[in-house]
Amino acid sequence: MTDQPTASATPTTTPAAGRNVLCIEDEHFIGELYDRALTKGGYKVTVIGDGVEALAAAQTNQYDIILLDLMVPNLTGIEILRTLRDPARVPALKSKIVITTNLEQREDVRADIEKQADGYLVKAEITPHELVDFLNHMQ
Amino acid sequence: MDHLQQLRHRVRQYVFGLVLAENVLLIVSWWAADTFTGLPPLLVAGATLIAGGVLCFGIARIVESYVTEPLQALWQAVLHLSPTDHGIAAPKIEQLRLGQELVTNLTAQIYQMADVAEHAATEKLERSNDLSRNFVAQNLPLPLFTLDAAETITFANEAAAQYVGIAATDLIGKNVYMVLDMLFPSEETFDGWLKEVKAKSATAVHSWERVRLNVRDGHPTRIFDLAGYYNRDNPQHTETMLVLFDHTKMYTQDDQAVSFIALSVHELRTPLTLLRGYIEVFEDEVDTTTNPELKGFMLKMKSQAEQLTAFVNNILNVARVDDDQMQLKLQEEQWPDVLRSAIENLSLRAKVRGVTLHCRLASDLPSVGIDRISIYEVVNNLVDNAIKYSGNSKVIEIETHLTKDGLIETTIQDFGLGISTATVPNLFTKFYRDHRNRAQVGGTGLGLYLSKAIVAAHGGSIWVRSKEGEGSTFGFTLVPYAQLTEEAKQNGDQQITRSAHGWIKNHSMYRR
């Protein structure tokens, strides 16, 4: 019972200021919606639906924020998260990692994932605008 | 034997020398007495005989003391080694006047023989210990491994070999992490534990639940509980012991029940995400000023999507409650703020039904200890019900106050259909719905069941008062945060964690 309250906090003036977002999402329509809302919100967005490709892109360390779906083909989100958080494989990752998933986890598994990420959002509980709001609020 | 020869030679030398000296002394004494004293020869002979006797006695004593000394030393050595404590010290061989080499040699032999005897006795004991240890370990029907300080497997019983599918002899010498590829449900892992105890403790025991083992490619994952025992003082190469309790069948069944729901929820959530996303796009970009009806439709769609999201959460949470997997973390919150924010999320649903939510929230309430998200679910369900059952009435009253027991009570009152007295007692039962209203009002009968479990886990209670045709009032109480922390302190709990099923994870917290 630690679902994020819908990220509909008070609107903010924090500018996206062209921050780079890598959206790892294999559901084409969701990727499209997030791309649209984030681009409108001032972010530069790259959507990748394949796990292996997404990890390669994330390892370039050029993204400020990584939105990570846990169920992507060829490599799971958990594997991507572990790799990115392993300093031996990705030294000094500057990206914030926000899990965006509709998958339901056991409490302890989820707590473990949350510890390694900078945010955890259930996609069905937020609208694209609320996602933008959430990212705007992230330090 | 050289030393013995040497001893005999020395004794011979001593005896010969002494006897020769005695005879010379006697002859000289006799001659002197006879020549110079003029005593009668018989007297001289008698005196010489007596003197000879005395000298013989002296010689006998000297020889006796010299010859028996080494024997005494040997006897002392034997007694010294005897298992019975005679209080005898080891002989001082260097002080012997005769036969030092021989005694040194013989005592060394005696000591060596004693060592051999002792070693044989110990070996016998060890053999018997080994035998019983091996028997127990080998025949234990649970996989058992022992590890040395470098976490290399030093022993694996037959059950262990079978479990991992590798012969026991091949397991020995391998690093345990190469053989047991374990996945733990949390960050509390075996290797982390071992590292910590090795740094801090001489001995430690720990167990883990739901550990997964990837055996080999193509083999199914095994799930087991694991017990680890570490003792720095164990015989070398057995510092750590591991025992596995296989529960694959039990855990897989559990997981299947939950995973079916989790999978369904995932499948429902994806289209929901899209629906809500596209509705938002419509809201942003379709000009509804020219067609107000279209705007109304849009709001209805949005409200229905929100309701569906809430319903999906209800299904999931009921599954969690039923599996005792719903953990609540109670934190200090200002109740009016939380309630206001929960009601705000419901305003669209009320609006599309033409219902107004009237709130009277007391401002001087003590802070409450709640799990915000799960309490949202309770408010959501109760207000949603009130909206659904409002009938033609268009007002819902929401009110908070302090009870005389010092609890924070919230009531949600509608003026709609009401519930018959007969059905009231069943309302909080899973899947129960008032059949007379089924035709008019949709629902699953999960909301109140879930709300009751959540409120109970918070230490509060939920109730209903209703009259058919006049409406219903649902109320629930929450415990002030100060009271919860007091209870937690008394129980020595660090964090207020509760399980939504009426019973408590941290034993003894739940008293109501």
Side-chain angles (χ1 to χ4, degrees):
Chain A
M1 285 309 293
T2 45
D3 291 10
Q4 291 280 344
T6 48
S8 62
T10 47
T12 175
T13 52
T14 313
R19 285 201 285 175
N20 276 318
V21 177
L22 172 64
C23 176
I24 305 176
E25 173 61 67
D26 68 317
E27 171 55 57
H28 177 70
F29 294 137
I30 295 181
E32 192 178 74
L33 276 169
Y34 285 177
D35 184 5
R36 184 190 168 92
L38 288 167
T39 307
K40 272 186 135 186
Y43 292 90
K44 282 189 205 156
V45 187
T46 310
V47 183
I48 299 181
D50 176 87
V52 176
E53 270 177 50
L55 178 61
Q59 281 176 310
T60 62
N61 210 1
Q62 55 171 308
Y63 298 98
D64 301 292
I65 298 165
I66 296 170
L67 300 178
L68 177 58
D69 186 11
L70 294 181
M71 267 193 9
V72 279
N74 296 329
L75 201 61
T76 70
I78 309 269
E79 284 167 319
I80 296 175
L81 182 64
R82 284 211 179 116
T83 309
L84 293 179
R85 283 289 182 241
D86 182 356
R89 296 173 72 176
V90 187
L93 183 77
K94 68 165 186 178
S95 323
K96 300 265 183 205
I97 304 175
V98 178
I99 307 295
T100 48
T101 182
N102 273 329
L103 202 64
E104 206 41 48
Q105 311 279 354
R106 274 162 40 96
E107 290 271 328
D108 45 2
V109 177
R110 174 168 169 163
D112 198 33
I113 298 170
E114 270 187 90
K115 248 186 249 174
Q116 298 179 62
D118 300 289
Y120 189 109
L121 300 171
V122 174
K123 288 184 281 190
E125 294 182 0
I126 54 158
T127 65
H129 276 342
E130 286 166 349
L131 173 69
V132 176
D133 259 0
F134 181 86
L135 298 191
N136 285 346
H137 273 97
M138 228 169 50
Q139 292 303 310
Chain B
M1 284 291 102
D2 282 353
H3 299 304
L4 187 62
Q5 202 68 38
Q6 210 175 356
L7 180 70
R8 282 163 70 178
H9 184 68
R10 294 288 288 276
V11 170
R12 208 162 45 229
Q13 274 179 342
Y14 280 136
V15 174
F16 179 80
L18 286 168
V19 172
L20 187 69
E22 186 226 357
N23 285 340
V24 171
L25 197 66
L26 280 178
I27 291 165
V28 172
S29 307
W30 190 351
W31 171 79
D34 193 42
T35 313
F36 303 110
T37 58
L39 289 170
L42 203 61
L43 194 65
V44 171
T48 309
L49 200 63
I50 291 167
V54 171
L55 281 173
C56 274
F57 182 73
I59 289 167
R61 288 305 298 268
I62 291 168
V63 171
E64 176 204 324
S65 78
Y66 271 56
V67 171
T68 54
E69 240 177 26
L71 284 175
Q72 210 171 354
L74 287 173
W75 181 233
Q76 205 176 328
V78 170
L79 286 182
H80 173 65
L81 284 174
S82 143
T84 324
D85 185 14
H86 296 282
I88 305 253
K92 289 180 178 158
I93 298 168
E94 67 283 359
Q95 289 175 6
L96 291 179
R97 287 167 295 190
L98 200 64
Q100 263 194 30
E101 293 84 356
L102 180 76
V103 173
T104 308
N105 225 334
L106 282 176
T107 43
Q109 295 285 336
I110 292 169
Y111 282 133
Q112 206 174 344
M113 276 158 70
D115 268 355
V116 169
E118 194 181 324
H119 187 72
T122 319
E123 207 172 40
K124 197 171 157 191
L125 187 72
E126 271 177 1
R127 228 186 353 256
S128 119
N129 279 348
D130 268 359
L131 202 67
S132 59
R133 200 161 45 216
N134 282 340
F135 177 81
V136 172
Q138 277 300 357
N139 290 281
L140 189 74
L142 302 168
L144 169 92
F145 298 89
T146 62
L147 314 179
D148 66 7
E151 278 131 53
T152 304
I153 297 173
T154 50
F155 172 80
N157 68 0
E158 198 43 47
Q162 277 179 16
Y163 200 66
V164 295
I166 302 173
T169 44
D170 293 340
L171 284 172
I172 292 162
K174 284 211 168 75
N175 182 287
V176 67
Y177 306 119
M178 301 290 288
V179 174
L180 293 175
D181 181 11
M182 296 183 281
L183 297 170
F184 290 82
S186 74
E187 280 189 355
E188 205 178 281
T189 59
F190 168 73
D191 57 325
W193 167 80
L194 196 57
K195 208 177 284 174
E196 200 181 314
V197 298
K198 278 184 175 178
K200 287 184 187 164
S201 332
T203 170
V205 183
H206 196 73
S207 62
W208 295 260
E209 286 183 351
R210 277 183 184 271
V211 182
R212 281 167 187 268
L213 176 70
N214 294 319
V215 186
R216 275 180 303 181
D217 291 344
H219 281 65
T221 300
R222 314 296 295 259
I223 311 171
F224 56 91
D225 291 349
L226 172 72
Y229 169 63
Y230 173 77
N231 190 342
R232 198 170 49 198
D233 301 327
N234 269 356
Q236 220 186 350
H237 310 312
T238 57
E239 286 88 346
T240 310
M241 296 186 195
L242 280 181
V243 183
L244 279 60
F245 306 85
D246 187 69
H247 289 317
T248 308
K249 202 174 164 191
M250 185 176 87
Y251 286 147
T252 313
Q253 275 171 355
D254 278 7
D255 285 353
Q256 273 168 356
V258 176
S259 65
F260 169 72
I261 302 212
L263 205 68
S264 314
V265 162
H266 180 256
E267 293 307 302
L268 284 167
R269 274 175 170 172
T270 305
L272 256 173
T273 311
L274 287 167
L275 276 176
R276 296 183 69 185
Y278 286 124
I279 291 169
E280 200 178 64
V281 174
F282 269 99
E283 260 190 316
D284 282 355
E285 298 184 13
V286 176
D287 181 10
T288 52
T289 48
T290 51
N291 191 346
E293 200 185 14
L294 198 63
K295 189 175 181 183
F297 290 162
M298 205 100 78
L299 285 182
K300 280 173 187 155
M301 268 178 7
K302 193 177 173 184
S303 125
Q304 289 304 302
E306 278 176 16
Q307 197 151 355
L308 195 53
T309 309
F311 169 65
V312 168
N313 279 345
N314 265 3
I315 298 180
L316 195 62
N317 287 331
V318 166
R320 282 174 174 158
V321 164
D322 287 351
D323 284 345
D324 286 332
Q325 279 195 19
M326 190 192 252
Q327 293 287 310
L328 309 181
K329 292 184 182 75
L330 307 192
Q331 284 173 333
E332 184 171 20
E333 303 268 12
Q334 299 308 319
W335 180 232
D337 296 347
V338 177
L339 190 54
R340 220 171 274 127
S341 140
I343 291 167
E344 210 177 287
N345 286 342
L346 289 156
S347 58
L348 179 65
R349 268 180 262 176
K351 192 178 163 189
V352 296
R353 299 246 179 197
V355 174
T356 312
L357 305 176
H358 275 175
C359 299
R360 279 203 313 273
L361 312 183
S363 55
D364 54 348
L365 296 172
S367 58
V368 286
I370 55 168
D371 181 297
R372 198 178 174 113
I373 304 305
S374 54
I375 281 292
Y376 269 180
E377 306 266 333
V378 175
V379 176
N380 230 331
N381 279 308
L382 295 183
V383 175
D384 229 11
N385 273 352
I387 296 172
K388 279 194 258 179
Y389 289 87
S390 273
N392 294 325
S393 153
K394 296 296 170 202
V395 174
I396 289 167
E397 301 275 358
I398 300 166
E399 195 234 350
T400 60
H401 61 267
L402 204 62
T403 67
K404 59 180 187 302
D405 299 328
L407 300 175
I408 296 100
E409 188 164 65
T410 305
T411 57
I412 292 137
Q413 185 176 13
D414 70 71
F415 303 92
L417 308 174
I419 309 155
S420 71
T421 323
T423 57
V424 166
N426 298 319
L427 276 182
F428 297 100
T429 312
K430 187 157 69 169
F431 300 128
Y432 186 83
R433 290 186 54 226
D434 187 348
H435 61 90
R436 281 171 301 178
N437 286 329
R438 273 189 205 178
Q440 302 164 46
V441 186
T444 53
L446 290 177
L448 289 177
Y449 166 75
L450 184 64
S451 301
K452 187 185 176 194
I454 292 172
V455 170
H458 278 80
S461 54
I462 193 165
W463 53 264
V464 58
R465 216 171 31 229
S466 185
K467 201 165 179 188
E468 248 184 313
E470 288 184 18
S472 312
T473 305
F474 282 84
F476 64 94
T477 53
L478 293 169
V479 183
Y481 184 70
Q483 193 177 327
L484 287 174
T485 47
E486 192 52 39
E487 286 175 13
K489 217 184 290 167
Q490 278 174 17
N491 292 319
D493 296 329
Q494 295 296 313
Q495 190 183 30
I496 309 173
T497 309
R498 296 192 165 182
S499 174
H501 211 104
W503 54 266
I504 301 307
K505 192 79 179 159
N506 284 347
H507 51 96
S508 76
M509 275 289 289
Y510 184 65
R511 298 223 184 91
R512 261 160 228 97

